[in-house]
Amino acid sequence: MELESQRASSGPSSFATIFIAGASSQIERSNCEGKLESSSNKDVNESSSKKSSDGEKGSVSVSESEPGSEQEDSKSHKREKISANYAAVILKPESVKLLKERFPALFPDNQHYHHMTVKWAPNEKDIEEMDDLLDNEVTLKVVGVAQDDHCQALLVKSEHLHIHSTNRFPHITLSVQGGDSDLYHPFYSNELFERIFNEAFSKHNKKVSGKCDYELLNKDWSGKLPKRGKYAETKATFETLADEEMQLQGCFCLDTKWNSKNNSCEYTRENQCGFCLFMKGGPCRNEFMQWEECVGVSKDDEDDEDFVDRCAPQTLMLKTCVDNNPEYYYIVTEDEGDSKKKEDEKDQDKDRKATKKNEK
């Protein structure tokens, strides 16, 4: 009975129709097009072309698959096994040049100026989940610069809706002492920011969370960092750079798929499903992926009614999120009546403008 009431409250029929259709094609492991009307496809393309992959909205185009196409044959397609040391936003040459001019290397023998790590040692599932994000362009905002006797690094913040570092302090290592010691290599940047933050900004603040508290990093600091574990006492500084509004441009890629010769990501996207890319490109990415995972469990079950019952909680969470973000998902939430009403309003507006022009 509870599931029935949940289904009844799931909203407009267009939403249920699209997602049941999407579920069926997911179950078949095909292209998950969601059986959108051709007019909706046009709207998705037009709206998506206005969304920057680096801003708040995703970028996607929805296309029909041709008989015998690779999408149609996706049942027999086996995903390429991909491994990587890390996934990162790799800086473009012009951004590297900008950084080297603005922040000369303190340790010239060990310069980096290369990337912001997003995920260290991603596994196969991690790579599958980031499939639609790889090769996206990303803007990084420079927040501050830190240095001690061993390392020099930038604190940055991603402006992308979905691409963020799993490190507590997202950073770009500029230069580091290196040498034979295992202590002071690029990964020490994490430790440097942790030490500075604990000593200068969080010691007397009870509201500190486990994430990077950018709001607290709003002032310059210099002083001594006490010994911490295997790391000796050292002098350090942190300079806030938020007022400079410096931005860097990069590309999200796996290190094993990055071509350093032409500075491009050579990752081939596995999931070309236009409908799925559209859904993941907006603010309901996580809710859609949970729904998608539930549908995936049902891939061998062809009973749509079983799917509706089994995935009711995920469907409701997704619908709630979609309803709360109509500026992106309006194509999914509006029914045919809404579409016709908007078209009629546009036609009436054109007629009024034409009448006024003729009167003149």
Side-chain angles (χ1 to χ4, degrees), residues 136-151:
N136 271 216
E137 292 191 356
V138 181
T139 296
L140 301 177
K141 181 181 179 181
V142 177
V143 178
V145 60
Q147 63 185 61
D148 66 2
D149 295 331
H150 313 284
C151 181

Side-chain angles (χ1 to χ4, degrees), residues 91 95-96 98-99 138-142 154 156 172 246-250:
L91 297 178
S95 291
V96 173
L98 176 67
L99 289 183
V138 181
T139 296
L140 301 177
K141 181 181 179 181
V142 177
L154 282 182
V156 295
I172 298 170
M246 182 184 296
Q247 293 186 333
L248 308 171
Q249 303 303 319

Side-chain angles (χ1 to χ4, degrees), residues 80-147:
E80 175 192 358
K81 286 189 177 180
I82 302 173
S83 61
N85 298 303
Y86 59 83
V89 176
I90 301 175
L91 297 178
K92 293 187 175 182
E94 52 268 29
S95 291
V96 173
K97 181 181 178 182
L98 176 67
L99 289 183
K100 287 186 175 182
E101 291 174 351
R102 176 65 177 81
F103 307 101
L106 294 180
F107 307 95
D109 293 337
N110 276 291
Q111 299 184 45
H112 292 274
Y113 300 91
H114 188 255
H115 67 268
M116 178 197 78
T117 301
V118 172
K119 178 73 175 180
W120 180 258
N123 58 35
E124 191 173 345
K125 188 174 187 297
D126 293 329
I127 295 173
E128 185 175 350
E129 289 180 351
M130 63 179 70
D131 175 87
D132 61 305
L133 298 175
L134 290 164
D135 202 22
N136 271 216
E137 292 191 356
V138 181
T139 296
L140 301 177
K141 181 181 179 181
V142 177
V143 178
V145 60
Q147 63 185 61

Side-chain angles (χ1 to χ4, degrees), residues 224-237:
K224 284 187 177 181
L225 297 177
K227 184 178 184 299
R228 175 181 160 107
K230 58 186 178 180
Y231 298 104
E233 179 181 276
T234 182
K235 292 180 181 179
T237 64

Side-chain angles (χ1 to χ4, degrees), residues 14-241:
S14 59
F15 183 91
T17 301
I18 288 171
F19 278 85
I20 294 243
S24 299
S25 48
Q26 280 286 345
I27 290 168
E28 296 167 1
R29 310 308 293 170
S30 66
N31 62 324
C32 176
E33 290 195 1
K35 297 184 181 179
L36 292 172
E37 297 291 336
S38 59
S39 60
S40 294
N41 285 347
K42 181 181 178 183
D43 286 341
V44 172
N45 287 329
E46 290 177 352
S47 65
S48 299
S49 66
K50 298 176 184 176
K51 320 296 186 184
S52 165
S53 64
D54 190 61
E56 295 185 353
K57 311 296 188 286
S59 176
V60 60
S61 61
V62 178
S63 59
E64 299 291 339
S65 60
E66 297 295 330
S69 68
E70 291 182 11
Q71 287 184 338
E72 189 181 64
D73 195 39
S74 59
K75 279 187 191 180
S76 60
H77 174 70
K78 290 185 178 180
R79 181 182 177 87
E80 175 192 358
K81 286 189 177 180
I82 302 173
S83 61
N85 298 303
Y86 59 83
V89 176
I90 301 175
L91 297 178
K92 293 187 175 182
E94 52 268 29
S95 291
V96 173
K97 181 181 178 182
L98 176 67
L99 289 183
K100 287 186 175 182
E101 291 174 351
R102 176 65 177 81
F103 307 101
L106 294 180
F107 307 95
D109 293 337
N110 276 291
Q111 299 184 45
H112 292 274
Y113 300 91
H114 188 255
H115 67 268
M116 178 197 78
T117 301
V118 172
K119 178 73 175 180
W120 180 258
N123 58 35
E124 191 173 345
K125 188 174 187 297
D126 293 329
I127 295 173
E128 185 175 350
E129 289 180 351
M130 63 179 70
D131 175 87
D132 61 305
L133 298 175
L134 290 164
D135 202 22
N136 271 216
E137 292 191 356
V138 181
T139 296
L140 301 177
K141 181 181 179 181
V142 177
V143 178
V145 60
Q147 63 185 61
D148 66 2
D149 295 331
H150 313 284
C151 181
Q152 173 192 26
L154 282 182
L155 182 68
V156 295
K157 183 177 183 179
S158 172
E159 298 289 287
H160 196 284
L161 181 63
H162 300 303
I163 300 174
H164 300 280
S165 178
T166 54
N167 289 326
R168 183 184 182 188
F169 298 98
H171 64 271
I172 298 170
T173 300
L174 302 181
S175 66
V176 68
Q177 181 179 336
D180 295 332
S181 170
D182 290 332
L183 294 180
Y184 302 110
H185 288 276
F187 56 78
Y188 174 71
S189 296
N190 291 297
E191 184 71 20
L192 174 60
F193 281 113
E194 191 77 40
R195 296 174 77 184
I196 289 177
F197 188 76
N198 290 342
E199 183 65 23
F201 299 100
S202 69
K203 188 177 282 187
H204 305 293
N205 195 313
K206 296 181 180 179
K207 295 183 179 180
V208 173
S209 68
K211 297 181 180 179
C212 180
D213 296 273
Y214 289 105
E215 294 78 10
L216 297 179
L217 297 163
N218 58 5
K219 61 182 180 180
D220 297 345
W221 176 88
S222 64
K224 284 187 177 181
L225 297 177
K227 184 178 184 299
R228 175 181 160 107
K230 58 186 178 180
Y231 298 104
E233 179 181 276
T234 182
K235 292 180 181 179
T237 64
F238 175 80
E239 179 185 357
T240 180
L241 299 169

